[in-house]
Amino acid sequence: MAKLANLITMVELLQNGRKYSIKELAENLEVSPRVIREYKLFLEEAGIYLDTIRGPYGGYVLNTSIHLPILYFNEKDVTSLKKATNYISDATLKEEIKNIYNKMMATIQKEEKKTKHLLTDNLEKQIYNQISYALRNEQKLKIKYYNLQHGVSIRTIYPLGLYLFQNEWWISSYWEEKDDLRQFHLKRIQSCEILKEKFNPKEINIKF
């Protein structure tokens, strides 16, 4: 349970947009630098990517323009966490879990409210949900996309992240046909199909 609390704290620290060295994060979370590196990998497996700045003044940075539900938790997940407290007798541990539960619920409600406000129609909501699912499961997508210059085309993409730009949703992805990283505007995606074929985001990150 301490690991979960530390991950949430680490994301909260990085959300202010400043760079944190591994040493600073380790001191804040009271863990070793090795553990911080493990936390970074865990977050990236959950779809929360940290930029690494190398050099003597380097560290980790979270792009604050990316708004994702923390660790992709949903209300069912946190309700299960709350129920688990019924089987715990330690009062201190119970209180810690309660605090984590409240943080999760606040984050989920905030993200749901923001998403509902910014997604303008049912098709966009459906596509957003499909992309979110594909992100969680590292599955490829086939999209029907409208481009202002070339019209409508079918594209196979590897979803790497959803983000907000000027209050509209975009998807950062690897475009298979062009062998390149591209950004696609959700409003221009006319249809979306989740493919069974999976991909490894780490391989894309290494490539680019």
mmCIF file of all heavy atoms in Angstrom, residues 76-88 94 97 101:
data_model
loop_
_atom_site.group_PDB
_atom_site.id
_atom_site.type_symbol
_atom_site.label_atom_id
_atom_site.label_comp_id
_atom_site.label_asym_id
_atom_site.label_seq_id
_atom_site.Cartn_x
_atom_site.Cartn_y
_atom_site.Cartn_z
ATOM 1 N N LYS A 76 -14.950 1.820 -9.775
ATOM 2 C CA LYS A 76 -15.020 0.428 -9.312
ATOM 3 C C LYS A 76 -13.734 0.038 -8.592
ATOM 4 O O LYS A 76 -13.765 -0.638 -7.562
ATOM 5 C CB LYS A 76 -15.269 -0.492 -10.502
ATOM 6 C CG LYS A 76 -15.428 -1.960 -10.109
ATOM 7 C CD LYS A 76 -15.692 -2.826 -11.329
ATOM 8 C CE LYS A 76 -15.818 -4.292 -10.941
ATOM 9 N NZ LYS A 76 -16.059 -5.145 -12.138
ATOM 10 N N ASP A 77 -12.589 0.472 -9.142
ATOM 11 C CA ASP A 77 -11.296 0.169 -8.522
ATOM 12 C C ASP A 77 -11.222 0.721 -7.104
ATOM 13 O O ASP A 77 -10.824 0.028 -6.164
ATOM 14 C CB ASP A 77 -10.146 0.765 -9.343
ATOM 15 C CG ASP A 77 -10.019 0.124 -10.715
ATOM 16 O OD1 ASP A 77 -10.365 -1.066 -10.835
ATOM 17 O OD2 ASP A 77 -9.583 0.808 -11.644
ATOM 18 N N VAL A 78 -11.584 1.981 -6.955
ATOM 19 C CA VAL A 78 -11.422 2.608 -5.636
ATOM 20 C C VAL A 78 -12.473 2.126 -4.639
ATOM 21 O O VAL A 78 -12.225 2.092 -3.431
ATOM 22 C CB VAL A 78 -11.426 4.156 -5.745
ATOM 23 C CG1 VAL A 78 -10.202 4.643 -6.489
ATOM 24 C CG2 VAL A 78 -12.680 4.668 -6.394
ATOM 25 N N THR A 79 -13.651 1.742 -5.143
ATOM 26 C CA THR A 79 -14.663 1.171 -4.250
ATOM 27 C C THR A 79 -14.163 -0.160 -3.685
ATOM 28 O O THR A 79 -14.362 -0.461 -2.501
ATOM 29 C CB THR A 79 -15.995 0.976 -4.991
ATOM 30 O OG1 THR A 79 -16.461 2.240 -5.460
ATOM 31 C CG2 THR A 79 -17.048 0.373 -4.058
ATOM 32 N N SER A 80 -13.504 -0.946 -4.533
ATOM 33 C CA SER A 80 -12.918 -2.209 -4.066
ATOM 34 C C SER A 80 -11.850 -1.952 -3.012
ATOM 35 O O SER A 80 -11.734 -2.690 -2.028
ATOM 36 C CB SER A 80 -12.301 -2.968 -5.254
ATOM 37 O OG SER A 80 -13.290 -3.299 -6.205
ATOM 38 N N LEU A 81 -11.084 -0.887 -3.216
ATOM 39 C CA LEU A 81 -10.059 -0.521 -2.237
ATOM 40 C C LEU A 81 -10.698 -0.168 -0.898
ATOM 41 O O LEU A 81 -10.214 -0.585 0.162
ATOM 42 C CB LEU A 81 -9.243 0.671 -2.762
ATOM 43 C CG LEU A 81 -8.150 1.211 -1.844
ATOM 44 C CD1 LEU A 81 -7.062 0.172 -1.616
ATOM 45 C CD2 LEU A 81 -7.545 2.483 -2.426
ATOM 46 N N LYS A 82 -11.791 0.568 -0.954
ATOM 47 C CA LYS A 82 -12.474 0.960 0.280
ATOM 48 C C LYS A 82 -13.029 -0.268 1.012
ATOM 49 O O LYS A 82 -12.943 -0.372 2.242
ATOM 50 C CB LYS A 82 -13.610 1.936 -0.038
ATOM 51 C CG LYS A 82 -14.244 2.545 1.213
ATOM 52 C CD LYS A 82 -15.304 3.567 0.848
ATOM 53 C CE LYS A 82 -15.899 4.202 2.100
ATOM 54 N NZ LYS A 82 -16.958 5.173 1.755
ATOM 55 N N LYS A 83 -13.574 -1.220 0.257
ATOM 56 C CA LYS A 83 -14.123 -2.439 0.869
ATOM 57 C C LYS A 83 -13.033 -3.250 1.563
ATOM 58 O O LYS A 83 -13.289 -3.946 2.554
ATOM 59 C CB LYS A 83 -14.808 -3.297 -0.202
ATOM 60 C CG LYS A 83 -16.134 -2.732 -0.693
ATOM 61 C CD LYS A 83 -16.732 -3.632 -1.762
ATOM 62 C CE LYS A 83 -18.073 -3.093 -2.249
ATOM 63 N NZ LYS A 83 -18.651 -3.932 -3.342
ATOM 64 N N ALA A 84 -11.806 -3.144 1.029
ATOM 65 C CA ALA A 84 -10.693 -3.911 1.603
ATOM 66 C C ALA A 84 -10.397 -3.496 3.037
ATOM 67 O O ALA A 84 -9.856 -4.288 3.821
ATOM 68 C CB ALA A 84 -9.439 -3.733 0.747
ATOM 69 N N THR A 85 -10.775 -2.274 3.394
ATOM 70 C CA THR A 85 -10.503 -1.804 4.765
ATOM 71 C C THR A 85 -11.292 -2.600 5.807
ATOM 72 O O THR A 85 -10.923 -2.618 6.980
ATOM 73 C CB THR A 85 -10.845 -0.304 4.908
ATOM 74 O OG1 THR A 85 -12.226 -0.103 4.610
ATOM 75 C CG2 THR A 85 -10.003 0.538 3.981
ATOM 76 N N ASN A 86 -12.381 -3.266 5.380
ATOM 77 C CA ASN A 86 -13.174 -4.077 6.316
ATOM 78 C C ASN A 86 -12.384 -5.266 6.856
ATOM 79 O O ASN A 86 -12.734 -5.833 7.893
ATOM 80 C CB ASN A 86 -14.453 -4.588 5.631
ATOM 81 C CG ASN A 86 -15.382 -3.458 5.227
ATOM 82 O OD1 ASN A 86 -15.433 -2.426 5.894
ATOM 83 N ND2 ASN A 86 -16.107 -3.640 4.139
ATOM 84 N N TYR A 87 -11.315 -5.634 6.128
ATOM 85 C CA TYR A 87 -10.526 -6.799 6.536
ATOM 86 C C TYR A 87 -9.209 -6.396 7.199
ATOM 87 O O TYR A 87 -8.342 -7.223 7.443
ATOM 88 C CB TYR A 87 -10.237 -7.673 5.312
ATOM 89 C CG TYR A 87 -11.496 -8.117 4.602
ATOM 90 C CD1 TYR A 87 -11.984 -7.412 3.497
ATOM 91 C CD2 TYR A 87 -12.225 -9.222 5.050
ATOM 92 C CE1 TYR A 87 -13.151 -7.803 2.848
ATOM 93 C CE2 TYR A 87 -13.389 -9.604 4.408
ATOM 94 C CZ TYR A 87 -13.849 -8.898 3.310
ATOM 95 O OH TYR A 87 -15.002 -9.286 2.675
ATOM 96 N N ILE A 88 -9.073 -5.109 7.499
ATOM 97 C CA ILE A 88 -7.842 -4.596 8.115
ATOM 98 C C ILE A 88 -8.143 -4.109 9.522
ATOM 99 O O ILE A 88 -9.041 -3.293 9.736
ATOM 100 C CB ILE A 88 -7.237 -3.448 7.266
ATOM 101 C CG1 ILE A 88 -6.851 -3.970 5.879
ATOM 102 C CG2 ILE A 88 -6.027 -2.829 7.958
ATOM 103 C CD1 ILE A 88 -6.433 -2.899 4.909
ATOM 104 N N LYS A 94 -5.749 1.657 8.148
ATOM 105 C CA LYS A 94 -7.096 1.953 7.672
ATOM 106 C C LYS A 94 -7.228 3.420 7.282
ATOM 107 O O LYS A 94 -7.811 3.765 6.253
ATOM 108 C CB LYS A 94 -8.117 1.623 8.774
ATOM 109 C CG LYS A 94 -8.788 0.286 8.617
ATOM 110 C CD LYS A 94 -9.966 0.167 9.557
ATOM 111 C CE LYS A 94 -10.720 -1.123 9.276
ATOM 112 N NZ LYS A 94 -11.927 -1.258 10.095
ATOM 113 N N ILE A 97 -5.389 4.138 3.977
ATOM 114 C CA ILE A 97 -6.162 3.684 2.821
ATOM 115 C C ILE A 97 -7.331 4.629 2.548
ATOM 116 O O ILE A 97 -7.646 4.941 1.398
ATOM 117 C CB ILE A 97 -6.676 2.244 3.037
ATOM 118 C CG1 ILE A 97 -5.495 1.272 3.091
ATOM 119 C CG2 ILE A 97 -7.643 1.835 1.928
ATOM 120 C CD1 ILE A 97 -5.876 -0.143 3.446
ATOM 121 N N TYR A 101 -8.073 6.573 -0.874
ATOM 122 C CA TYR A 101 -9.390 6.449 -1.506
ATOM 123 C C TYR A 101 -9.955 7.835 -1.842
ATOM 124 O O TYR A 101 -10.437 8.076 -2.958
ATOM 125 C CB TYR A 101 -10.332 5.699 -0.570
ATOM 126 C CG TYR A 101 -11.789 5.750 -0.985
ATOM 127 C CD1 TYR A 101 -12.294 4.848 -1.919
ATOM 128 C CD2 TYR A 101 -12.655 6.697 -0.440
ATOM 129 C CE1 TYR A 101 -13.626 4.897 -2.307
ATOM 130 C CE2 TYR A 101 -13.985 6.753 -0.821
ATOM 131 C CZ TYR A 101 -14.463 5.859 -1.754
ATOM 132 O OH TYR A 101 -15.778 5.915 -2.147
#
